[in-house]
Amino acid sequence: MVERAESESRKLLGRLRDTMAEKAAGQERLDKITHLTADSIGTEVCSIYLFRDDDTLELCATEGLKPEAVHQTRMKMGEGLVGRVARTGKIINEADAPSTRGFRYMPETGEELFSSFLGVPIQRLGEKLGVLVVQSKEAREFSADEVYALEVVAMVLAEMTELGAFVGEGAALRARHTEPVLLRGVTGQEGAAEGHVWLHEPRVVVTNLVGDDPETERARLIEAVENLRISVDQLLAGAVMDTEQVQVLEAYRMFANSKGWLRRMQENIDRGLSAEAAVEKEQSDVRARMSQATDVYLRERLQDLDDLSNRLLRILTGQGTRTGADLPDDPILVARNIGPADLLEYGRKLRGVVLEEGAVGSHAAIVARALAIPLVIGTKRIQNEALNGDHIMVDGDQGVVHLRPDDTVVTAFRDKMAMQAKAQERYASIRDKPAITLCGTEIRLDMNAGLMADLPSLESSGASGVGLFRTELQFLVRNQMPKRTELAAIYARVMDAAHGRRVVFRTLDIGSDKVLPYMTPQDEPNPALGWRAIRVGLDKPGVLRMQLQALLRAANGRPLTVMFPFIAQYEEYDKARAEMGKALARERILGHNLPATLEIGAMLETPSLAFASKRFFEEVEFLSIGGNDLKQFFFAADRENELVRRRYDTLNVSYLTFLENIIDRCALTNTPLSFCGEDAGRPVEALCLAAIGLRSLSMRPASVGPVKHLLRRCNLVDVRAAIHDARDRGEANVRPVVMDYLRNLS
């Protein structure tokens, strides 16, 4: 019985291949496939429904229903049994379809004559393309062999749709990868860029779907799987990797040695598929399970299996990640995700980056900010939609991506970029002028940095210095702990590039969203509140001392400014400062040249530190408010959570009042205070921070010009009065009154 089913399946595939090989228009091919499928499975009806837009299915071909219904019958996702198959991605097999819950009768099709219904999703690697349906008058459930046969036809339809075999008139038969697409994601790094798509991992295209000789295809599959196992074993044995990478490869090895995984692919071959098609069918099944999985661990393991299938397909097809295509002159990188080392390797050649996954605080986002590359993350479907060389426009400000944009979008987008360029010219004219307000108050504007590549911006942006140099990036982009001599050399080059301007080095801020590749990740329920930053430094004093020694040696007689991150109480600052004392003593014994001056400060990122004892404010040499973390802890709103991260406004009266209390405490002890974070780089927010008393702001280089431009046009006395008046009137947010003030500026 099994042999007969396999023989029938191969026979059907052979007939499909012959049909596809014939010269014919797209509609004619679809018509032949519906006839062939109905004839092979023995049903009165076979119909193909394809998506004409993201939410609407259209009957595109049928054998057995009324011909005049073709391209006329349409339904929404989830509507009727066909719509339900499309929405869920699951097969529906009903003996009495009309009495099934959710059935919707389409009178123009004449389907009232048919009782049984079998619907199979047409999907390729998780992307929904349509639904394939067979119906018969006899009330019966279709057998497992018939279901499999229809799945195979659906797979062939999906692959041939991708290859453009069914192009015709109308939206449902339009050529793929030719239409304009608007995709929405999340802002990872502001800015706008226009260019052409460069896929980090180009898609594997399977053109040989049918296997003539099952034994040959089995042998090809087994050889490829063996090569895959060897490559995974070699990676595990020879490379220096972080714990997370090792865990992924261990999962790869487990799946590569899975007898069930191999057996399912061999069964696909026995039923007529080529080795490549057998792998892709199993991969599509995994993608379907992945879309339904709610358990995070299960989704990650299914993702591992999906990645492994891609590796196996590359072995079978010989399609590596290097396609021979040249990187375009204006590349916009498109990827599911990307590590910091890979992104740094591309460097400033990239105009922008678009990721399907990623987080606001991810390593890729940190590097993109350092390189000033517009970044949009969480852009679903981008990998399925984009092809190498596609025209693409990235709006990092709005978190929007225009793929293959039409002329109207191109014109509007270029107008926006021209306006931004004109604004940059205006900012360049005041680059060397101080940020002095109309009331005569000077605000120090520093820039944030984390890479040597940032330092040229110190001159071009007009920043006074580096208010925050993130030292963790030198740790994150490596597979092993950097040596003290390497760090000292890097820090020395940073100070050289600053040409005597003040650079505030923040010691290693890891944990939470920044996990070192070579340290064991902690399984914490809330890592943002967990073992991170100075807590790691104090618990692992060897790493902290090594970094402090590297900073002292880099200074080599020059002034040095060091800041400890995430200080929550005085005792932590005291212990961290004691470690600096030990490092100084050791350098003195070794006879090394000590810094001319040494400032030791702390980042105020937790509300608790705002209420520390007066002694702390007297002893700390400077404070920098870490606005990103302080804001999320103040409002109890995770900044990585899209559901809440935009809910709370910096210009909320309660938050501004809290900041004013910190400013007042620092004023009483003459403690220098600055503000560092995204809000410092937003002109309106920066104006309000200056109005309530902050005299030093640190931001990304591109924000210095816009912030300086606005500050020079405003009177802080008037803005402060407007803020306090709004608070006295009981208003919850001062943004409306500040915007009124700005609109009335001459």
Side-chain angles (χ1 to χ4, degrees), residues 335-448:
R336 191 180 75 206
N337 218 332
I338 190 168
D342 285 338
L343 191 50
L344 278 171
E345 191 174 332
Y346 283 108
R348 293 188 184 275
K349 294 192 293 286
L350 298 177
R351 295 280 183 88
V353 180
V354 183
L355 301 179
E356 277 204 7
E357 299 176 0
V360 174
S362 67
H363 302 164
I366 293 167
V367 173
R369 289 184 200 119
L371 295 173
I373 299 171
L375 167 67
V376 177
I377 58 178
T379 316
K380 304 302 180 190
R381 294 172 39 223
I382 184 66
Q383 283 207 118
N384 285 336
E385 289 285 357
L387 295 179
N388 265 341
D390 276 348
H391 186 201
I392 185 171
M393 291 176 151
V394 180
D395 188 342
D397 302 322
Q398 302 297 322
V400 169
V401 176
H402 301 279
L403 185 63
R404 299 182 291 271
D406 59 28
D407 291 343
T408 305
V409 171
V410 170
T411 300
F413 195 90
R414 286 178 179 167
D415 285 347
K416 175 180 177 175
M417 291 183 70
M419 287 176 63
Q420 290 180 341
K422 195 170 290 186
Q424 288 301 325
E425 291 176 12
R426 189 164 63 244
Y427 305 147
S429 69
I430 60 170
R431 182 186 61 194
D432 299 324
K433 296 179 180 179
I436 298 178
T437 64
L438 294 180
C439 57
T441 305
E442 182 170 358
I443 308 299
R444 180 185 174 94
L445 302 182
D446 287 327
M447 59 170 263
N448 300 331

Side-chain angles (χ1 to χ4, degrees), residues 180-431:
V181 180
L182 170 65
L183 298 165
R184 298 189 183 277
V186 176
T187 297
Q189 161 70 7
E190 294 90 349
E194 178 181 4
H196 291 86
V197 168
W198 180 257
L199 294 171
H200 183 54
E201 292 186 338
R203 71 184 73 215
V204 177
V205 179
V206 176
T207 55
N208 174 32
L209 297 170
V210 182
D212 292 319
D213 182 356
E215 291 305 315
T216 299
E217 297 303 316
R218 271 176 165 260
R220 290 181 63 229
L221 176 67
I222 291 170
E223 182 183 0
V225 169
E226 187 57 35
N227 288 337
L228 180 66
R229 289 170 179 165
I230 292 169
S231 68
V232 172
D233 287 342
Q234 287 173 340
L235 281 172
L236 275 165
V240 179
M241 290 175 293
D242 62 77
T243 306
E244 188 177 354
Q245 288 172 319
V246 170
Q247 289 173 345
V248 169
L249 286 176
E250 288 286 6
Y252 282 179
R253 180 153 66 182
M254 177 186 74
F255 287 127
N257 287 282
S258 167
K259 292 180 180 178
W261 185 54
L262 180 60
R263 185 189 69 250
R264 290 192 297 273
M265 292 186 292
Q266 288 175 326
E267 288 173 353
N268 290 334
I269 288 173
D270 290 339
R271 287 175 162 174
L273 294 178
S274 66
E276 296 92 331
V279 174
E280 187 156 286
K281 184 178 186 306
E282 172 63 15
Q283 187 180 24
S284 288
D285 292 344
V286 167
R287 287 271 180 103
R289 293 199 297 274
M290 196 157 50
S291 67
Q292 302 295 323
T294 55
D295 180 78
V296 174
Y297 178 80
L298 179 58
R299 283 184 65 85
E300 287 177 352
R301 296 293 73 77
L302 289 170
Q303 186 68 69
D304 292 338
L305 187 52
D306 187 54
D307 290 342
L308 193 69
S309 298
N310 277 333
R311 286 175 177 249
L312 186 55
L313 279 171
R314 294 191 190 285
I315 292 171
L316 280 165
T317 62
Q319 297 175 33
T321 55
R322 304 295 182 190
T323 62
D326 293 328
L327 189 75
D329 294 332
D330 52 0
I332 304 284
L333 185 73
V334 171
R336 191 180 75 206
N337 218 332
I338 190 168
D342 285 338
L343 191 50
L344 278 171
E345 191 174 332
Y346 283 108
R348 293 188 184 275
K349 294 192 293 286
L350 298 177
R351 295 280 183 88
V353 180
V354 183
L355 301 179
E356 277 204 7
E357 299 176 0
V360 174
S362 67
H363 302 164
I366 293 167
V367 173
R369 289 184 200 119
L371 295 173
I373 299 171
L375 167 67
V376 177
I377 58 178
T379 316
K380 304 302 180 190
R381 294 172 39 223
I382 184 66
Q383 283 207 118
N384 285 336
E385 289 285 357
L387 295 179
N388 265 341
D390 276 348
H391 186 201
I392 185 171
M393 291 176 151
V394 180
D395 188 342
D397 302 322
Q398 302 297 322
V400 169
V401 176
H402 301 279
L403 185 63
R404 299 182 291 271
D406 59 28
D407 291 343
T408 305
V409 171
V410 170
T411 300
F413 195 90
R414 286 178 179 167
D415 285 347
K416 175 180 177 175
M417 291 183 70
M419 287 176 63
Q420 290 180 341
K422 195 170 290 186
Q424 288 301 325
E425 291 176 12
R426 189 164 63 244
Y427 305 147
S429 69
I430 60 170
R431 182 186 61 194

Side-chain angles (χ1 to χ4, degrees), residues 124 127 157-164 176-177 203 387:
R124 184 180 186 273
E127 183 184 9
L157 283 168
E159 289 300 325
M160 300 316 292
T161 299
E162 175 68 19
L163 294 171
R176 286 175 56 74
H177 310 299
R203 71 184 73 215
L387 295 179

Side-chain angles (χ1 to χ4, degrees), residues 189-190 348 366-373 424 427-428 431 445-470 677-678 680-682 697-708:
Q189 161 70 7
E190 294 90 349
R348 293 188 184 275
I366 293 167
V367 173
R369 289 184 200 119
L371 295 173
I373 299 171
Q424 288 301 325
Y427 305 147
R431 182 186 61 194
L445 302 182
D446 287 327
M447 59 170 263
N448 300 331
L451 296 167
M452 280 301 301
D454 290 320
L455 272 300
S457 298
L458 193 52
E459 295 292 338
S460 61
S461 68
S464 299
V466 179
L468 168 66
F469 189 88
R470 305 180 185 91
E678 292 175 9
R682 297 182 174 124
L697 306 173
S698 190
M699 62 204 71
R700 65 189 185 102
S703 296
V704 173
V707 169
K708 183 186 291 188

